[in-house]
Amino acid sequence: MKEARQTDFADRLKTAAEARQVLLAGFRAKPAVAAPDAPDRAARRAAELQQVRADRAAARAAKKQAAADRELAAAQAVEAVAAAQLDARRGERKERKALTKAEAKAKRDARYAARKARQ
């Protein structure tokens, strides 16, 4: 039995090397275990990013709509001024025509009165 317990130098070196390897294995980096909330965090971040992008797109759309509304209002104002000027010119023309008609009627009446006076 004593012989079974006796080990030679090579066996002792091998045992010491194995013990060192076991100790070093404790210090080695272990494979990363994904935390259970890591995918949730990534999904939450992706959702936040998507929300920010949507907000920015909405802001851009609102800004573009405001610019279009301003352009439309300016065009309508120009159109309203042009329509007012046209109405003013039409009104002046109608007044001139009415005066011309009144003058023509007055002339006709004067001729008629002169003819009646001669008779």
Side-chain angles (χ1 to χ4, degrees):
M1 251 194 157
K2 244 183 177 189
E3 288 179 278
R5 281 184 152 196
Q6 284 184 354
T7 56
D8 59 351
F9 184 69
D11 288 336
R12 283 184 286 162
L13 281 177
K14 183 179 174 187
T15 306
E18 287 173 358
R20 254 185 271 123
Q21 289 300 322
V22 168
L23 279 174
L24 287 174
F27 293 116
R28 285 196 185 106
K30 293 175 179 62
V33 176
D37 65 336
D40 184 42
R41 187 178 342 140
R44 189 170 13 106
R45 179 139 171 94
E48 288 174 3
L49 183 61
Q50 185 177 6
Q51 181 63 35
V52 167
R53 286 180 179 160
D55 291 344
R56 287 180 183 164
R60 276 194 302 271
K63 189 175 179 181
K64 188 181 275 190
Q65 182 64 37
D69 290 345
R70 280 193 305 269
E71 271 187 44
L72 180 63
Q76 287 175 344
V78 168
E79 191 175 307
V81 168
Q85 288 175 346
L86 183 62
D87 286 343
R89 279 186 291 188
R90 283 183 178 162
E92 290 171 2
R93 184 169 180 228
K94 283 184 180 182
E95 286 176 19
R96 280 194 318 267
K97 277 188 148 188
L99 287 175
T100 306
K101 280 185 180 181
E103 289 172 359
K105 185 174 182 333
K107 267 181 154 180
R108 251 191 340 264
D109 289 346
R111 281 195 313 252
Y112 180 75
R115 196 172 45 231
K116 284 291 186 180
R118 281 185 271 159
Q119 287 177 355

